[in-house]
Short mmCIF file of all heavy atoms in Angstrom, two decimals:
data_model
loop_
_atom_site.label_atom_id
_atom_site.label_comp_id
_atom_site.label_asym_id
_atom_site.label_seq_id
_atom_site.Cartn_x
_atom_site.Cartn_y
_atom_site.Cartn_z
N LYS A 29 17.05 -200.40 49.91
CA LYS A 29 17.61 -201.63 49.33
C LYS A 29 17.81 -201.37 47.83
O LYS A 29 16.87 -201.21 47.09
CB LYS A 29 16.68 -202.82 49.57
CG LYS A 29 16.88 -204.00 48.61
CD LYS A 29 18.24 -204.63 48.66
CE LYS A 29 18.48 -205.55 47.46
NZ LYS A 29 17.41 -206.42 47.04
N TYR A 30 19.07 -201.34 47.44
CA TYR A 30 19.46 -201.03 46.07
C TYR A 30 19.76 -202.34 45.34
O TYR A 30 20.66 -203.09 45.74
CB TYR A 30 20.70 -200.14 46.11
CG TYR A 30 21.27 -199.70 44.79
CD1 TYR A 30 20.46 -199.36 43.71
CD2 TYR A 30 22.65 -199.61 44.63
CE1 TYR A 30 21.01 -198.93 42.51
CE2 TYR A 30 23.20 -199.18 43.44
CZ TYR A 30 22.38 -198.85 42.39
OH TYR A 30 22.93 -198.43 41.20
N GLY A 31 18.98 -202.61 44.29
CA GLY A 31 19.20 -203.85 43.55
C GLY A 31 18.48 -203.81 42.22
O GLY A 31 17.91 -202.79 41.82
N GLY A 32 18.51 -204.94 41.52
CA GLY A 32 17.80 -205.05 40.26
C GLY A 32 18.43 -204.26 39.14
O GLY A 32 19.63 -203.98 39.11
N HIS A 33 17.58 -203.85 38.18
CA HIS A 33 18.03 -203.18 36.97
C HIS A 33 18.74 -201.86 37.28
O HIS A 33 19.64 -201.44 36.55
CB HIS A 33 16.82 -202.92 36.06
CG HIS A 33 17.16 -202.83 34.61
ND1 HIS A 33 17.72 -203.87 33.92
CD2 HIS A 33 17.05 -201.80 33.73
CE1 HIS A 33 17.92 -203.50 32.65
NE2 HIS A 33 17.53 -202.25 32.52
N ALA A 34 18.34 -201.22 38.36
CA ALA A 34 18.95 -199.93 38.73
C ALA A 34 20.42 -200.06 39.06
O ALA A 34 21.15 -199.06 39.06
CB ALA A 34 18.21 -199.33 39.93
N MET A 35 20.89 -201.29 39.32
CA MET A 35 22.30 -201.49 39.63
C MET A 35 23.14 -201.79 38.40
O MET A 35 24.37 -201.74 38.48
CB MET A 35 22.46 -202.65 40.62
CG MET A 35 22.24 -202.29 42.06
SD MET A 35 22.66 -203.65 43.17
CE MET A 35 24.45 -203.70 43.01
N VAL A 36 22.50 -202.13 37.29
CA VAL A 36 23.28 -202.55 36.11
C VAL A 36 23.12 -201.61 34.92
O VAL A 36 24.03 -201.50 34.10
CB VAL A 36 22.91 -204.00 35.69
CG1 VAL A 36 23.33 -204.98 36.77
CG2 VAL A 36 21.42 -204.14 35.41
N ASP A 37 22.00 -200.93 34.81
CA ASP A 37 21.80 -199.96 33.75
C ASP A 37 22.58 -198.68 34.10
O ASP A 37 22.38 -198.10 35.17
CB ASP A 37 20.31 -199.64 33.59
CG ASP A 37 20.04 -198.64 32.49
OD1 ASP A 37 20.21 -197.43 32.74
OD2 ASP A 37 19.65 -199.06 31.39
N GLU A 38 23.47 -198.26 33.21
CA GLU A 38 24.38 -197.16 33.54
C GLU A 38 23.64 -195.85 33.81
O GLU A 38 24.01 -195.08 34.71
CB GLU A 38 25.41 -196.97 32.43
CG GLU A 38 26.44 -198.09 32.35
CD GLU A 38 27.22 -198.28 33.64
OE1 GLU A 38 27.58 -197.25 34.27
OE2 GLU A 38 27.47 -199.43 34.03
N THR A 39 22.60 -195.56 33.03
CA THR A 39 21.85 -194.32 33.25
C THR A 39 21.11 -194.36 34.57
O THR A 39 21.13 -193.39 35.35
CB THR A 39 20.85 -194.09 32.10
OG1 THR A 39 21.57 -193.99 30.86
CG2 THR A 39 20.06 -192.81 32.32
N LEU A 40 20.44 -195.48 34.86
CA LEU A 40 19.72 -195.60 36.13
C LEU A 40 20.68 -195.56 37.32
O LEU A 40 20.37 -195.00 38.38
CB LEU A 40 18.92 -196.90 36.15
CG LEU A 40 17.74 -196.99 35.17
CD1 LEU A 40 17.14 -198.39 35.21
CD2 LEU A 40 16.68 -195.94 35.51
N LYS A 41 21.84 -196.17 37.14
CA LYS A 41 22.85 -196.17 38.20
C LYS A 41 23.28 -194.73 38.52
O LYS A 41 23.36 -194.34 39.69
CB LYS A 41 24.05 -197.00 37.76
CG LYS A 41 25.08 -197.25 38.84
CD LYS A 41 26.34 -197.91 38.29
CE LYS A 41 26.06 -199.25 37.66
NZ LYS A 41 27.33 -199.92 37.25
N LYS A 42 23.54 -193.96 37.48
CA LYS A 42 23.94 -192.57 37.68
C LYS A 42 22.83 -191.78 38.36
O LYS A 42 23.08 -190.99 39.28
CB LYS A 42 24.30 -191.93 36.33
CG LYS A 42 24.77 -190.49 36.44
CD LYS A 42 25.13 -189.91 35.09
CE LYS A 42 25.59 -188.46 35.21
NZ LYS A 42 25.93 -187.88 33.89
N ASN A 43 21.58 -192.01 37.92
CA ASN A 43 20.45 -191.32 38.55
C ASN A 43 20.36 -191.64 40.03
O ASN A 43 20.13 -190.75 40.87
CB ASN A 43 19.14 -191.73 37.86
CG ASN A 43 19.00 -191.15 36.47
OD1 ASN A 43 19.67 -190.17 36.12
ND2 ASN A 43 18.15 -191.75 35.67
N PHE A 44 20.50 -192.92 40.37
CA PHE A 44 20.41 -193.34 41.77
C PHE A 44 21.49 -192.67 42.61
O PHE A 44 21.22 -192.16 43.71
CB PHE A 44 20.53 -194.86 41.87
CG PHE A 44 20.58 -195.37 43.28
CD1 PHE A 44 19.42 -195.53 44.02
CD2 PHE A 44 21.80 -195.67 43.89
CE1 PHE A 44 19.47 -195.98 45.34
CE2 PHE A 44 21.84 -196.12 45.20
CZ PHE A 44 20.68 -196.28 45.92
N ILE A 45 22.71 -192.68 42.11
CA ILE A 45 23.83 -192.08 42.85
C ILE A 45 23.56 -190.60 43.10
O ILE A 45 23.74 -190.09 44.23
CB ILE A 45 25.14 -192.27 42.06
CG1 ILE A 45 25.50 -193.77 41.95
CG2 ILE A 45 26.28 -191.49 42.73
CD1 ILE A 45 25.68 -194.50 43.25
N LEU A 46 23.13 -189.88 42.07
CA LEU A 46 22.84 -188.45 42.23
C LEU A 46 21.70 -188.23 43.22
O LEU A 46 21.73 -187.28 44.03
CB LEU A 46 22.48 -187.84 40.87
CG LEU A 46 23.64 -187.72 39.88
CD1 LEU A 46 23.11 -187.29 38.51
CD2 LEU A 46 24.70 -186.74 40.37
N ASP A 47 20.69 -189.10 43.19
CA ASP A 47 19.57 -188.98 44.12
C ASP A 47 20.04 -189.12 45.56
O ASP A 47 19.58 -188.40 46.45
CB ASP A 47 18.51 -190.04 43.82
CG ASP A 47 17.80 -189.80 42.50
OD1 ASP A 47 18.00 -188.73 41.89
OD2 ASP A 47 17.05 -190.70 42.06
N MET A 48 20.95 -190.08 45.81
CA MET A 48 21.44 -190.30 47.17
C MET A 48 22.21 -189.08 47.68
O MET A 48 22.06 -188.66 48.83
CB MET A 48 22.33 -191.55 47.22
CG MET A 48 21.62 -192.86 46.93
SD MET A 48 20.23 -193.20 48.06
CE MET A 48 18.85 -192.68 47.03
N VAL A 49 23.02 -188.51 46.81
CA VAL A 49 23.79 -187.33 47.21
C VAL A 49 22.85 -186.15 47.47
O VAL A 49 23.02 -185.41 48.44
CB VAL A 49 24.84 -186.98 46.13
CG1 VAL A 49 25.57 -185.69 46.48
CG2 VAL A 49 25.85 -188.13 46.00
N LEU A 50 21.85 -185.99 46.63
CA LEU A 50 20.87 -184.93 46.83
C LEU A 50 20.16 -185.08 48.17
O LEU A 50 20.00 -184.10 48.92
CB LEU A 50 19.85 -184.93 45.69
CG LEU A 50 18.68 -183.95 45.82
CD1 LEU A 50 19.17 -182.52 45.84
CD2 LEU A 50 17.66 -184.16 44.71
N LEU A 51 19.72 -186.30 48.48
CA LEU A 51 19.04 -186.52 49.76
C LEU A 51 19.90 -186.08 50.93
O LEU A 51 19.42 -185.45 51.88
CB LEU A 51 18.67 -188.00 49.91
CG LEU A 51 17.61 -188.57 48.97
CD1 LEU A 51 17.33 -190.03 49.32
CD2 LEU A 51 16.33 -187.77 48.99
N LYS A 52 21.18 -186.42 50.86
CA LYS A 52 22.07 -186.05 51.97
C LYS A 52 22.24 -184.54 52.06
O LYS A 52 22.23 -183.96 53.15
CB LYS A 52 23.42 -186.74 51.78
CG LYS A 52 24.29 -186.73 53.04
CD LYS A 52 23.67 -187.59 54.13
CE LYS A 52 24.51 -187.60 55.39
NZ LYS A 52 23.92 -188.43 56.46
N TYR A 53 22.36 -183.89 50.90
CA TYR A 53 22.57 -182.44 50.90
C TYR A 53 21.35 -181.67 51.41
O TYR A 53 21.50 -180.56 51.96
CB TYR A 53 22.94 -181.95 49.50
CG TYR A 53 24.43 -181.95 49.24
CD1 TYR A 53 25.00 -182.85 48.35
CD2 TYR A 53 25.27 -181.04 49.88
CE1 TYR A 53 26.37 -182.87 48.13
CE2 TYR A 53 26.64 -181.04 49.66
CZ TYR A 53 27.19 -181.95 48.77
OH TYR A 53 28.55 -181.96 48.55
N VAL A 54 20.15 -182.22 51.24
CA VAL A 54 18.96 -181.50 51.71
C VAL A 54 18.55 -181.94 53.12
O VAL A 54 17.49 -181.58 53.60
CB VAL A 54 17.76 -181.66 50.74
CG1 VAL A 54 18.09 -181.06 49.38
CG2 VAL A 54 17.33 -183.13 50.61
N GLY A 55 19.42 -182.71 53.79
CA GLY A 55 19.21 -182.98 55.20
C GLY A 55 18.62 -184.31 55.57
O GLY A 55 18.27 -184.54 56.73
N LEU A 56 18.48 -185.24 54.61
CA LEU A 56 18.00 -186.57 54.91
C LEU A 56 19.20 -187.50 55.13
O LEU A 56 20.33 -187.19 54.72
CB LEU A 56 17.12 -187.12 53.79
CG LEU A 56 15.67 -186.61 53.72
CD1 LEU A 56 15.62 -185.11 53.41
CD2 LEU A 56 14.89 -187.38 52.66
N ASN A 57 18.97 -188.64 55.75
CA ASN A 57 20.04 -189.60 56.01
C ASN A 57 19.77 -190.92 55.29
O ASN A 57 19.15 -191.83 55.86
CB ASN A 57 20.18 -189.86 57.52
CG ASN A 57 20.70 -188.65 58.27
OD1 ASN A 57 21.57 -187.94 57.78
ND2 ASN A 57 20.16 -188.42 59.45
N PRO A 58 20.22 -191.06 54.04
CA PRO A 58 20.04 -192.33 53.35
C PRO A 58 21.07 -193.36 53.82
O PRO A 58 22.24 -193.04 54.02
CB PRO A 58 20.28 -191.96 51.88
CG PRO A 58 21.18 -190.79 51.92
CD PRO A 58 20.82 -190.03 53.18
N VAL A 59 20.60 -194.58 54.01
CA VAL A 59 21.47 -195.72 54.31
C VAL A 59 21.20 -196.75 53.22
O VAL A 59 20.06 -197.19 53.04
CB VAL A 59 21.16 -196.32 55.70
CG1 VAL A 59 21.99 -197.57 55.94
CG2 VAL A 59 21.41 -195.29 56.79
N ILE A 60 22.23 -197.13 52.49
CA ILE A 60 22.07 -198.01 51.33
C ILE A 60 22.50 -199.42 51.68
O ILE A 60 23.60 -199.64 52.21
CB ILE A 60 22.92 -197.49 50.15
CG1 ILE A 60 22.52 -196.06 49.77
CG2 ILE A 60 22.79 -198.43 48.95
CD1 ILE A 60 23.50 -195.39 48.83
N VAL A 61 21.63 -200.38 51.40
CA VAL A 61 21.97 -201.80 51.47
C VAL A 61 21.86 -202.35 50.05
O VAL A 61 20.80 -202.21 49.43
CB VAL A 61 21.03 -202.58 52.41
CG1 VAL A 61 21.40 -204.06 52.43
CG2 VAL A 61 21.07 -201.99 53.82
N HIS A 62 22.92 -202.93 49.54
CA HIS A 62 22.89 -203.35 48.14
C HIS A 62 22.93 -204.88 48.01
O HIS A 62 23.42 -205.59 48.88
CB HIS A 62 24.07 -202.75 47.36
CG HIS A 62 25.42 -203.22 47.84
ND1 HIS A 62 25.98 -204.43 47.44
CD2 HIS A 62 26.31 -202.64 48.67
CE1 HIS A 62 27.15 -204.56 48.00
NE2 HIS A 62 27.38 -203.50 48.77
N GLY A 63 22.37 -205.33 46.90
CA GLY A 63 22.49 -206.73 46.53
C GLY A 63 23.67 -206.93 45.60
O GLY A 63 24.62 -206.16 45.62
N GLY A 64 23.57 -207.97 44.77
CA GLY A 64 24.67 -208.27 43.84
C GLY A 64 24.57 -209.66 43.27
O GLY A 64 25.58 -210.21 42.82
N GLY A 65 23.36 -210.23 43.29
CA GLY A 65 23.18 -211.60 42.80
C GLY A 65 23.67 -211.82 41.38
O GLY A 65 24.42 -212.78 41.12
N PRO A 66 23.27 -210.98 40.42
CA PRO A 66 23.74 -211.19 39.04
C PRO A 66 25.25 -211.12 38.91
O PRO A 66 25.86 -211.89 38.16
CB PRO A 66 23.06 -210.06 38.27
CG PRO A 66 21.85 -209.72 39.08
CD PRO A 66 22.27 -209.91 40.51
N GLN A 67 25.88 -210.19 39.63
CA GLN A 67 27.33 -210.06 39.57
C GLN A 67 28.01 -211.30 40.16
O GLN A 67 29.02 -211.77 39.63
CB GLN A 67 27.78 -208.80 40.31
CG GLN A 67 27.32 -207.50 39.68
CD GLN A 67 25.97 -207.01 40.21
OE1 GLN A 67 25.12 -207.80 40.61
NE2 GLN A 67 25.77 -205.70 40.21
N ILE A 68 27.44 -211.83 41.25
CA ILE A 68 27.99 -213.04 41.85
C ILE A 68 27.86 -214.21 40.87
O ILE A 68 28.81 -214.99 40.65
CB ILE A 68 27.27 -213.36 43.17
CG1 ILE A 68 27.60 -212.31 44.22
CG2 ILE A 68 27.66 -214.76 43.69
CD1 ILE A 68 26.73 -212.38 45.46
N GLY A 69 26.67 -214.34 40.28
CA GLY A 69 26.44 -215.42 39.33
C GLY A 69 27.39 -215.37 38.14
O GLY A 69 27.90 -216.40 37.69
N GLU A 70 27.63 -214.16 37.65
CA GLU A 70 28.54 -214.00 36.51
C GLU A 70 29.95 -214.43 36.87
O GLU A 70 30.63 -215.11 36.09
CB GLU A 70 28.52 -212.54 36.08
CG GLU A 70 29.38 -212.22 34.88
CD GLU A 70 29.33 -210.74 34.51
OE1 GLU A 70 28.33 -210.07 34.86
OE2 GLU A 70 30.29 -210.27 33.89
N PHE A 71 30.40 -214.07 38.06
CA PHE A 71 31.76 -214.41 38.46
C PHE A 71 31.89 -215.91 38.73
O PHE A 71 32.90 -216.53 38.38
CB PHE A 71 32.16 -213.62 39.71
CG PHE A 71 33.64 -213.39 39.82
CD1 PHE A 71 34.21 -212.20 39.38
CD2 PHE A 71 34.48 -214.37 40.34
CE1 PHE A 71 35.57 -211.99 39.47
CE2 PHE A 71 35.84 -214.16 40.44
CZ PHE A 71 36.39 -212.97 40.00
N LEU A 72 30.87 -216.49 39.34
CA LEU A 72 30.90 -217.94 39.59
C LEU A 72 30.98 -218.70 38.27
O LEU A 72 31.69 -219.71 38.16
CB LEU A 72 29.65 -218.36 40.37
CG LEU A 72 29.61 -217.96 41.85
CD1 LEU A 72 28.23 -218.25 42.43
CD2 LEU A 72 30.68 -218.71 42.65
N GLU A 73 30.25 -218.22 37.28
CA GLU A 73 30.28 -218.88 35.97
C GLU A 73 31.67 -218.81 35.36
O GLU A 73 32.16 -219.80 34.79
CB GLU A 73 29.26 -218.20 35.04
CG GLU A 73 29.09 -218.91 33.72
CD GLU A 73 27.98 -218.29 32.88
OE1 GLU A 73 27.18 -217.51 33.41
OE2 GLU A 73 27.94 -218.59 31.67
N LYS A 74 32.32 -217.66 35.49
CA LYS A 74 33.69 -217.53 34.98
C LYS A 74 34.65 -218.48 35.68
O LYS A 74 35.61 -218.98 35.07
CB LYS A 74 34.18 -216.09 35.17
CG LYS A 74 33.53 -215.07 34.25
CD LYS A 74 34.08 -213.68 34.52
CE LYS A 74 33.41 -212.65 33.61
NZ LYS A 74 33.91 -211.27 33.90
N MET A 75 34.39 -218.73 36.97
CA MET A 75 35.25 -219.62 37.76
C MET A 75 34.82 -221.08 37.65
O MET A 75 35.40 -221.94 38.30
CB MET A 75 35.23 -219.18 39.22
CG MET A 75 35.73 -217.76 39.46
SD MET A 75 37.47 -217.55 39.14
CE MET A 75 38.18 -218.49 40.48
N HIS A 76 33.78 -221.33 36.84
CA HIS A 76 33.25 -222.69 36.64
C HIS A 76 32.77 -223.31 37.96
O HIS A 76 32.94 -224.50 38.20
CB HIS A 76 34.30 -223.59 35.98
CG HIS A 76 34.82 -223.05 34.68
ND1 HIS A 76 34.04 -222.99 33.53
CD2 HIS A 76 36.03 -222.52 34.36
CE1 HIS A 76 34.76 -222.45 32.56
NE2 HIS A 76 35.96 -222.15 33.02
N ILE A 77 32.18 -222.47 38.80
CA ILE A 77 31.57 -222.92 40.04
C ILE A 77 30.06 -222.90 39.85
O ILE A 77 29.50 -221.84 39.57
CB ILE A 77 31.97 -222.03 41.24
CG1 ILE A 77 33.48 -222.06 41.43
CG2 ILE A 77 31.26 -222.49 42.51
CD1 ILE A 77 33.98 -221.08 42.50
N PRO A 78 29.39 -224.04 39.95
CA PRO A 78 27.94 -224.07 39.68
C PRO A 78 27.15 -223.31 40.74
O PRO A 78 27.52 -223.27 41.92
CB PRO A 78 27.60 -225.56 39.70
CG PRO A 78 28.68 -226.19 40.53
CD PRO A 78 29.92 -225.37 40.30
N SER A 79 26.05 -222.68 40.30
CA SER A 79 25.13 -222.00 41.22
C SER A 79 23.94 -222.90 41.49
O SER A 79 23.40 -223.53 40.58
CB SER A 79 24.64 -220.67 40.62
OG SER A 79 25.69 -219.75 40.52
N ARG A 80 23.52 -222.94 42.74
CA ARG A 80 22.35 -223.73 43.12
C ARG A 80 21.52 -222.91 44.10
O ARG A 80 22.06 -222.29 45.01
CB ARG A 80 22.78 -225.05 43.76
CG ARG A 80 21.61 -225.95 44.19
CD ARG A 80 22.10 -227.22 44.85
NE ARG A 80 21.02 -227.91 45.53
CZ ARG A 80 21.11 -228.48 46.74
NH1 ARG A 80 22.25 -228.43 47.40
NH2 ARG A 80 20.08 -229.09 47.28
N PHE A 81 20.20 -222.92 43.89
CA PHE A 81 19.30 -222.16 44.75
C PHE A 81 18.27 -223.09 45.37
O PHE A 81 17.77 -224.01 44.71
CB PHE A 81 18.59 -221.06 43.95
CG PHE A 81 19.50 -219.97 43.48
CD1 PHE A 81 20.20 -220.09 42.29
CD2 PHE A 81 19.67 -218.82 44.25
CE1 PHE A 81 21.04 -219.08 41.86
CE2 PHE A 81 20.51 -217.80 43.82
CZ PHE A 81 21.20 -217.94 42.63
N VAL A 82 17.95 -222.83 46.62
CA VAL A 82 16.88 -223.55 47.31
C VAL A 82 15.98 -222.51 47.97
O VAL A 82 16.44 -221.70 48.78
CB VAL A 82 17.43 -224.51 48.39
CG1 VAL A 82 16.28 -225.16 49.17
CG2 VAL A 82 18.31 -225.58 47.76
N GLY A 83 14.71 -222.49 47.56
CA GLY A 83 13.79 -221.51 48.12
C GLY A 83 14.23 -220.09 47.87
O GLY A 83 13.97 -219.20 48.69
N GLY A 84 14.89 -219.84 46.74
CA GLY A 84 15.34 -218.49 46.42
C GLY A 84 16.65 -218.09 47.07
O GLY A 84 17.15 -216.99 46.83
N LEU A 85 17.24 -218.96 47.89
CA LEU A 85 18.50 -218.66 48.57
C LEU A 85 19.64 -219.40 47.88
O LEU A 85 19.51 -220.58 47.54
CB LEU A 85 18.42 -219.08 50.04
CG LEU A 85 17.34 -218.38 50.89
CD1 LEU A 85 17.26 -219.02 52.27
CD2 LEU A 85 17.63 -216.89 51.00
N ARG A 86 20.76 -218.71 47.70
CA ARG A 86 21.91 -219.31 47.05
C ARG A 86 22.63 -220.26 48.01
O ARG A 86 23.06 -219.84 49.09
CB ARG A 86 22.89 -218.23 46.58
CG ARG A 86 24.08 -218.77 45.79
CD ARG A 86 25.09 -217.68 45.49
NE ARG A 86 24.55 -216.62 44.67
CZ ARG A 86 24.47 -216.67 43.34
NH1 ARG A 86 24.91 -217.74 42.70
NH2 ARG A 86 23.96 -215.65 42.67
N VAL A 87 22.73 -221.53 47.65
CA VAL A 87 23.52 -222.47 48.44
C VAL A 87 24.97 -222.01 48.39
O VAL A 87 25.54 -221.83 47.31
CB VAL A 87 23.38 -223.91 47.91
CG1 VAL A 87 24.25 -224.86 48.73
CG2 VAL A 87 21.92 -224.35 47.95
N THR A 88 25.57 -221.78 49.57
CA THR A 88 26.86 -221.10 49.65
C THR A 88 27.89 -221.97 50.37
O THR A 88 28.00 -221.94 51.60
CB THR A 88 26.70 -219.74 50.37
OG1 THR A 88 25.63 -219.00 49.76
CG2 THR A 88 27.97 -218.92 50.27
N ASP A 89 28.64 -222.76 49.58
CA ASP A 89 29.72 -223.55 50.16
C ASP A 89 30.94 -222.66 50.36
O ASP A 89 30.90 -221.44 50.14
CB ASP A 89 30.04 -224.77 49.29
CG ASP A 89 30.46 -224.39 47.87
OD1 ASP A 89 30.77 -223.20 47.63
OD2 ASP A 89 30.46 -225.28 47.01
N ASP A 90 32.07 -223.25 50.79
CA ASP A 90 33.26 -222.45 51.10
C ASP A 90 33.74 -221.65 49.89
O ASP A 90 34.03 -220.45 50.00
CB ASP A 90 34.39 -223.36 51.59
CG ASP A 90 34.10 -223.95 52.97
OD1 ASP A 90 33.18 -223.45 53.65
OD2 ASP A 90 34.79 -224.91 53.37
N ALA A 91 33.82 -222.32 48.73
CA ALA A 91 34.32 -221.64 47.52
C ALA A 91 33.37 -220.52 47.10
O ALA A 91 33.81 -219.43 46.72
CB ALA A 91 34.49 -222.66 46.39
N THR A 92 32.07 -220.80 47.18
CA THR A 92 31.09 -219.78 46.79
C THR A 92 31.13 -218.60 47.76
O THR A 92 31.00 -217.44 47.34
CB THR A 92 29.68 -220.39 46.75
OG1 THR A 92 29.67 -221.48 45.84
CG2 THR A 92 28.65 -219.36 46.32
N MET A 93 31.31 -218.87 49.05
CA MET A 93 31.36 -217.79 50.03
C MET A 93 32.53 -216.86 49.75
O MET A 93 32.42 -215.64 49.89
CB MET A 93 31.47 -218.37 51.45
CG MET A 93 31.33 -217.31 52.56
SD MET A 93 29.69 -216.56 52.64
CE MET A 93 30.07 -214.84 52.30
N ASP A 94 33.67 -217.42 49.35
CA ASP A 94 34.82 -216.59 49.00
C ASP A 94 34.47 -215.64 47.85
O ASP A 94 34.82 -214.45 47.88
CB ASP A 94 36.02 -217.46 48.61
CG ASP A 94 36.63 -218.17 49.80
OD1 ASP A 94 36.40 -217.74 50.95
OD2 ASP A 94 37.35 -219.17 49.58
N ILE A 95 33.77 -216.17 46.85
CA ILE A 95 33.39 -215.35 45.69
C ILE A 95 32.35 -214.31 46.11
O ILE A 95 32.43 -213.13 45.71
CB ILE A 95 32.83 -216.23 44.56
CG1 ILE A 95 33.88 -217.22 44.08
CG2 ILE A 95 32.33 -215.36 43.40
CD1 ILE A 95 35.13 -216.60 43.53
#
Side-chain angles (χ1 to χ4, degrees):
K29 159 61 194 318
Y30 180 39
H33 206 61
M35 278 187 70
V36 294
D37 180 280
E38 289 302 320
T39 300
L40 293 174
K41 188 188 299 185
K42 182 179 179 181
N43 289 341
F44 175 81
I45 296 301
L46 291 172
D47 292 351
M48 295 302 100
V49 175
L50 174 63
L51 293 183
K52 196 67 180 180
Y53 270 110
V54 298
L56 282 65
N57 292 321
V59 176
I60 302 168
V61 179
H62 64 82
Q67 294 90 331
I68 292 168
E70 182 181 336
F71 207 96
L72 287 171
E73 187 175 346
K74 288 180 181 178
M75 300 293 291
H76 304 290
I77 300 174
S79 292
R80 181 182 166 222
F81 292 86
V82 175
L85 299 173
R86 185 186 298 277
V87 178
T88 308
D89 59 15
D90 291 345
T92 302
M93 188 66 242
D94 288 341
I95 299 299

